[in-house]
Every structure is written in C-alpha cells, then in structure tokens.
Amino acid sequence: MKSILLKNCYCFHYDPEPITSHCNISLVNGKIAGFPKQPNEKDFDQVVDCTGLEAFPGGIDQHVHLSFDFGKAQSCDNFYTGGKAAIAGGTTSVIDFAFLKQDQTALEALQPRIQTAIEQKCPVDFAFHLCVTSADQLEQIDQGSKIEESFKIFMTYKGFAVDSATDLFTVLQRIAQNKKIAMIHCETDQVIAKRVPTAKHISEMPLVRPEWNEIEATARILTLAELCNCSVHIAHVSLADQVELIKVYQQRYNSQQISMEITGHHFVLNNRMYSDYHLKEQLVMSPPLQSENNVDRIRANLKDLDMTCSDHCPFTVQQRNGSFMAGTFDKFEDRAFYQQPHGTNGIQVRFIATYDCLKQFGGSLEEITKRTSQNAADRFNLVGKGRLAVGYDADVVILNPHSETKFCKEMMVENCDTTLFEGKMFRGHIEKVFAKGVEYGQGLPIGKYMRELK
Ligand SMILES: [Zn+2]
C-alpha cells in the first residue's frame, strides 16, 4: 500500500465543503485519503513539497477517438499511446466512442471497444459514448442506457448522419425517455454535400463548412431537444455566436439539461493556417479552424463553456497521403481534402491550454478545475472522478503557475509525426501527474472501464 503526501498545495478542493486554500493531500492506495493539517512525514512512502505549486484533479477529456477507424485509415494513437499522452498532459480519464453498426446491439458495439482498450493496456480510465446512426436503433438506445450515459449523434457524415428532422426527433425522444444525454455533432449535412464537389483547395474548407451551417444545426437540435425534453451536450462548439445561442437556450430552458464543450484547437488556433501552414493535409477537421476574431471572442468568454476536450483523432502525414476515404487520390492534393480522414491532435495539450486561457482572463482555480475535470465528471456521471475530495481517485495534477510550457514535436508523447501546436506557448507548467496514485514517469496504472456491463 503506497502512501504519498502532497505538501502545501494550493487548490480548489472539498474538505468536505468546497474551498480554495493551501492544504496537504494524502494519497493512499490509489485514493485520496485526506487533507491532514499536521501530517507526520515519516508516515508516508513519498513526500512531495508543493510549496508555490497548484493542484487540480486529473483532467477528464470527454471527447477522444483512440484506435478509431475513419474510412480506410485508423487514427494513429491507440489506447496505450493516446492514454500515455493524455497522462503526460494532465488528463487521467477519457470518454471515447463505440459506433453501433446496423443490426448490432449496444453490447455488441461496446464489448470490442472495451476489449481493445484492455488489450492495448490503456493507462487512463475510460468510458464510451454510444454512436447511433439511425432511428432504427431505438431498442439499442434502451439497452445501451443500462450501461452508458450518453449517445452521440452526427448531423453530418454520409453513412453516420441522422439528418431528417423526423429521425432526429424520434431518437432524441427515446434518449429522453431513458433519461440519458444526446451528444450532438452540429453541422447541416445538406449544405456540406452541396458545396464539397465544387471545392478546389483546402483554403476553401471554411466555405464548405460555413459558420452559419453550424449555428443553424445547433438551433435546430436545441429546439427539437426542448420539444422532447431531451438533455443535450453540444460537441466541439467552435463559434462565439454559437456559444451565445446555446446560452440563450440554457437560460430560458433548463441549464442542467444543456451543456457544451470546445476543443483546444478551436480556442488556440485560427483559420489563417489554411493559407500559412506548410502541412495542409494536417488541417482536415470538422468543424474547421475559425477566424482570429472568433477565436479572440471565444477565449475572452471561455468561462461560458462547461468543459474543454481535445477531439483527439490524429493521422500522420503518411496516412493522409495513403488512406483516403474514397481512394481516388494517391497523395495529398488540395482538391482531395474532403476525402481525407478528418481529425487532429490535442490530448496532451488540452489541460494546459485551458489553464492558460482561463488564467489570461482572470479565471479562478475553481473555474479551471470545473472546466478541465469536474463538470465532465458530473455531467457524464464518472464516479470517483473530477474532485480533490476524500475517497476520490488519486488523480492529481501538480502545476507550476510561475513557469510556462512551449510545445514542440520532440516533447509530444502521442504517436503522431506532427503537432499543430508546435511552438505554442502556454502559461503554467505541469510538474507532476498522479494517475490513481501512480506518478507519471515512474510507471503507468492500468486503466479500467468506468461502467458496469449489465
Ligand atoms: Zn469527435
């Protein structure tokens, strides 16, 4: 039974009431055992002096795609490499996705994903959103609801999209009956399908997927969700106007039932990269990067968003040049961009990027804790996660607020050959990460599935 004392941390914690103050945290056997006022250091196997440092509960990234098949390519991080990169960046739990194929039960979709994570020795704890692709899978929503908390619905992507208003309403209604959460990718497929054939260059990506397209889809889903009293989580919000719209619904309806997340790349990077960046194939993602003005507005109001995520789904340059969805092109050309697997990296960057942005605009440790970890744990019912509190998992990030972090390819633990965050500077530096009491660099814990299969 290993015991660790984190001495003199400054943090937002529950003792048992919520408080931001200096404290000692004792970790015993993978759990937070207490906040001893006058600990005897001799009682501990390891003592870490955290004077001048801040502590946070391990980050939760509720939107990642590890070992994910996208067309003919598989995202280049599996559960081991992606999970290790997550811990290196302060994230100790993730929620990935299990896609229900037609005629497949919820259990049949979940079991192989759980098995893959276990076989690949995923070091972070994990759960899944179940992706439903048609109203025909209503019975599977009932079955999946006994295990998981949330169902992902795509409003775009041929073959995945639930795009008719009737089908969307039926699916949302069923999710509401089960008292679960609908997580929605909001883009209007008909608009994208019409614009894709005429697009010639990747610089046109923002035109293929215009801002109002995302906003229209968001308004539609919020209206349908309100009509059938369905709890919704809007995935990867990327626009300041979209945030404003969601806030209107949150205020007039029921804020408990509507939540939103943003990816690190959507509040750090902007769409000038479509003309400036040298590896254009690495910019294929949806929603696309948005304007600098939009990014500035989002950053100044990041507190309005409930949580951040990475939507981590990277592909190497080589993969981009050989694994097209439609297989028409041999190597990357601008005009082939829409046939590529979509996605980018960020699992290692999200925590510090969120910290940096909230700090820049005067965010408190409580606000940072909630957006990097606690709100996701509460929203998706991750028991024992998201708080520095007695009995919770010993997932702790120790961060130096007086230092900074500059990302470069060499320090990326993930398995991708490039990072869009190359050269980006962030306030704060993560000094240590404990995942279930195991210090990163000294070993890795064995991640577990955070639900019970019933
Ligand atoms: Zn995603």
Side-chain angles (χ1 to χ4, degrees):
M1 190 167 89
K2 167 122 176 167
S3 58
I4 303 161
L5 178 67
L6 306 176
K7 229 176 70 178
N8 203 23
C9 313
Y10 189 59
C11 59
F12 172 68
H13 61 290
Y14 290 79
D15 185 24
E17 297 305 316
I19 182 172
T20 299
S21 67
H22 284 91
C23 67
N24 304 305
I25 309 175
S26 80
L27 311 178
V28 179
N29 208 19
K31 298 279 181 191
I32 296 174
F35 302 97
K37 299 280 184 283
Q38 290 177 318
N40 186 346
E41 293 187 18
K42 292 197 184 74
D43 294 343
F44 294 87
D45 301 319
Q46 184 186 356
V47 176
V48 181
D49 184 0
C50 298
T51 304
L53 306 179
E54 297 171 345
F56 298 90
I60 297 168
D61 191 339
Q62 72 287 341
H63 189 152
V64 303
H65 303 271
L66 304 173
S67 279
F68 174 61
D69 294 321
F70 198 126
K72 293 177 183 171
Q74 188 176 69
S75 58
C76 62
D77 267 318
N78 62 26
F79 282 94
Y80 178 76
T81 60
K84 193 175 168 190
I87 297 178
T91 289
T92 51
S93 308
V94 300
I95 309 182
D96 204 298
F97 297 83
F99 281 74
L100 269 85
K101 299 190 183 99
Q102 282 302 335
D103 305 323
Q104 198 176 31
T105 68
L107 261 177
E108 284 167 350
L110 268 172
Q111 274 168 331
R113 293 293 285 158
I114 296 167
Q115 198 56 33
T116 302
I118 292 169
E119 282 168 8
Q120 293 179 348
K121 297 189 171 20
C122 181
V124 290
D125 289 343
F126 55 92
F128 295 95
H129 307 286
L130 279 159
C131 300
V132 283
T133 53
S134 77
D136 299 340
Q137 293 170 322
L138 294 179
E139 277 180 34
Q140 301 318 321
I141 292 177
D142 298 343
Q143 189 196 72
S145 291
K146 294 183 186 133
I147 306 164
E148 280 294 351
E149 294 294 320
S150 46
F151 294 83
K152 175 81 181 279
I153 299 169
F154 289 90
M155 294 172 78
T156 187
Y157 287 131
K158 206 171 165 40
F160 296 125
V162 182
D163 56 356
S164 86
T166 318
D167 280 356
L168 276 172
F169 187 76
T170 311
V171 168
L172 291 176
Q173 220 172 14
R174 196 58 157 244
I175 293 171
Q177 281 164 6
N178 280 288
K179 298 191 173 16
K180 297 293 174 178
I181 302 163
M183 178 185 196
I184 318 282
H185 178 129
C186 295
E187 285 185 295
T188 303
D189 195 56
Q190 291 87 339
V191 174
I192 297 166
K194 219 174 180 114
R195 291 183 167 214
V196 153
T198 57
K200 296 281 187 293
H201 305 287
I202 194 165
S203 59
E204 293 175 62
M205 187 141 186
L207 299 174
V208 172
R209 311 183 99 98
E211 292 187 359
W212 50 263
N213 182 43
E214 215 177 315
I215 290 167
E216 185 278 328
T218 305
R220 188 149 40 101
I221 209 74
L222 289 170
T223 306
L224 289 173
E226 188 174 305
L227 285 170
C228 57
N229 197 24
C230 183
S231 184
V232 287
H233 177 73
I234 307 298
H236 43 53
V237 166
S238 71
L239 298 160
D241 289 339
Q242 192 184 10
V243 174
E244 291 301 317
L245 172 73
I246 296 166
K247 274 168 61 186
V248 169
Y249 276 82
Q250 281 179 327
Q251 282 157 15
R252 83 152 197 242
Y253 180 47
N254 178 351
S255 61
Q256 303 297 310
Q257 290 222 73
I258 302 171
S259 57
M260 53 177 150
E261 63 177 26
I262 184 167
T263 72
H265 50 273
H266 283 119
F267 67 85
V268 173
L269 310 174
N270 65 58
N271 65 9
R272 274 190 307 155
M273 288 182 87
Y274 288 110
S275 50
D276 298 350
Y277 190 59
H278 64 296
L279 294 168
K280 299 245 183 324
E281 49 270 70
Q282 293 295 37
L283 298 172
V284 182
M285 65 186 85
S286 71
L289 298 175
Q290 308 289 5
S291 72
E292 200 167 3
N293 173 49
N294 177 75
V295 173
D296 289 346
R297 284 176 63 202
I298 288 254
R299 287 184 68 81
N301 296 293
L302 196 70
K303 277 192 282 191
D304 288 343
L305 285 114
D306 302 284
M307 56 195 89
T308 60
C309 65
S310 65
D311 197 0
H312 188 74
C313 190
F315 299 90
T316 63
V317 170
Q318 195 184 19
Q319 279 183 305
R320 302 277 193 188
N321 282 285
S323 305
F324 295 133
M325 293 163 75
T328 317
F329 302 91
D330 295 327
K331 64 184 179 59
F332 182 81
E333 297 173 53
D334 267 354
R335 67 199 169 92
F337 74 87
Y338 52 84
Q339 291 190 318
Q340 292 226 344
H342 288 46
T344 187
N345 69 324
I347 204 166
Q348 194 179 337
V349 177
R350 177 200 70 102
F351 191 108
I352 200 73
T354 308
Y355 177 89
D356 166 76
C357 182
L358 288 169
K359 269 275 160 136
Q360 182 186 350
F361 293 95
S364 66
L365 294 202
E366 177 177 349
E367 286 164 340
I368 296 167
T369 295
K370 289 187 170 170
R371 279 148 195 83
T372 50
S373 181
Q374 184 175 327
N375 286 351
D378 291 351
R379 182 68 166 137
F380 296 104
N381 192 24
L382 303 177
V383 178
K385 300 290 184 188
R387 279 172 171 75
L388 297 176
V390 172
Y392 278 64
D393 286 352
D395 298 336
V396 186
V397 176
I398 304 293
L399 187 147
N400 184 347
H402 309 294
S403 187
E404 52 195 18
T405 304
K406 183 179 181 181
F407 280 98
C408 61
K409 187 174 153 303
E410 290 67 36
M411 65 189 278
M412 302 312 286
V413 174
E414 59 196 45
N415 195 32
C416 196
D417 54 0
T418 42
T419 171
L420 296 186
F421 297 93
E422 180 87 40
K424 293 288 173 203
M425 291 285 288
F426 299 99
R427 289 166 189 77
H429 185 267
I430 293 174
E431 301 291 324
K432 285 184 189 297
V433 180
F434 294 89
K436 290 189 289 193
V438 179
E439 183 179 344
Y440 178 70
Q442 309 293 314
L444 288 170
I446 294 168
K448 68 170 197 305
Y449 180 49
M450 293 186 277
R451 314 287 189 204
E452 275 178 37
L453 283 179
K454 289 173 187 155

